[in-house]
Amino acid sequence: PAADGPYRNCSGEQRDAMSPEADRGSAGRVLGICALWAALHSLLATKGFKDFVHQTVGARYRDGLYRLAYNTQAVATLALAARYFLRLPDRDLYRAAPPFSWLLRAAQALSLGVLLSGVRVVGFLDFAGIARLRNLLTGVDSGPEPEAQGPPLDARGAVVEAGAFRFTRHPGNLGALGFFLFLPRMTVNRAVLTAMVALYVILGSMHEEQRLRAAYGAAYERYRRSVSFMVPRPPRG
């Protein structure tokens, strides 16, 4: 619809005409809620905060509960942010029609497949934190929790290049970004959200690289030299 025509929020409710001021105000709210969520998510992922939890509750409970608690808060705060987002006034930028919308949906499905492939290599139960909770409850010592959710090391001490980790060092972040980039319907708020996701994916991946390099040392350096940071590239040679 035109800028001076009726608009809908993301839940499909039609409202009165959207003024340029309302357009900017709504986009600003999206920017703010994304920045708050990213700041909280990043703070809880830092080694300093994890060390604070370690000192507060001890190694056993920190290693057994932190990953599950981290994922729980991420899902809960994401749900609250999404609820707020869907209530904001919005305006269409474009809406793809078939067959282009089918291609975009297929690209979204492929992006989710990349994300799930990375999770599969890490291990679904390990990624969610359920495996460590189970070990805590059954008294099994599962050792220190990994500093980052990257690919594991094999028996030789080399980084496992399996699944999507053969083509990109951050398949989870790449898959999440692709899901938003290939939305068949793009609105002002969704465009701001996609830009924030892209920024957070890049900065978050760089932060995760630092933790993985500190944890894996030379093994991760060799992996970095052979696999692309984010976007897959043609094999060398």
Side-chain angles (χ1 to χ4, degrees), residues 41-191:
H41 200 72
S42 300
L43 172 65
L44 298 180
T46 60
K47 187 177 186 301
F49 191 87
K50 292 179 179 180
D51 289 343
F52 168 75
V53 175
H54 186 167
Q55 295 170 4
T56 303
V57 302
R60 181 168 178 264
Y61 289 103
R62 181 263 192 243
D63 293 331
L65 296 174
Y66 195 87
R67 185 65 193 175
L68 180 62
Y70 180 84
N71 287 336
T72 300
Q73 68 78 26
V75 172
T77 53
L78 184 62
L80 290 174
R83 184 174 182 272
Y84 178 77
F85 178 84
L86 292 173
R87 292 174 176 270
L88 291 174
D90 207 355
R91 176 171 57 85
D92 280 1
L93 294 176
Y94 64 81
R95 188 191 295 262
F100 300 107
S101 62
W102 302 340
L103 295 176
L104 290 173
R105 290 296 186 194
Q108 282 186 301
L110 178 62
S111 297
L112 291 179
V114 171
L115 187 154
L116 292 175
S117 176
V119 174
R120 181 175 177 273
V121 174
V122 175
F124 287 99
L125 296 182
D126 288 320
F127 183 85
I130 297 175
R132 288 189 168 268
L133 174 62
R134 179 190 59 203
N135 292 343
L136 175 66
L137 296 177
T138 56
V140 176
D141 182 10
S142 51
E145 183 196 29
E147 287 298 329
Q149 291 297 314
L153 298 179
D154 61 18
R156 298 176 292 110
V159 174
V160 174
E161 296 185 31
F165 280 108
R166 292 176 296 171
F167 313 108
T168 171
R169 301 201 298 269
H170 302 279
N173 289 342
L174 177 62
L177 177 58
F179 179 84
F180 288 97
L181 283 176
F182 297 119
L183 285 167
R185 178 192 170 212
M186 186 59 67
T187 67
V188 172
N189 292 351
R190 290 184 179 187

Side-chain angles (χ1 to χ4, degrees), residues 21-22 24-35 84-85 88-89 192:
E21 292 76 12
R24 290 191 294 270
S26 184
R29 294 187 185 96
V30 175
L31 184 64
I33 195 66
C34 287
Y84 178 77
F85 178 84
L88 291 174
V192 174

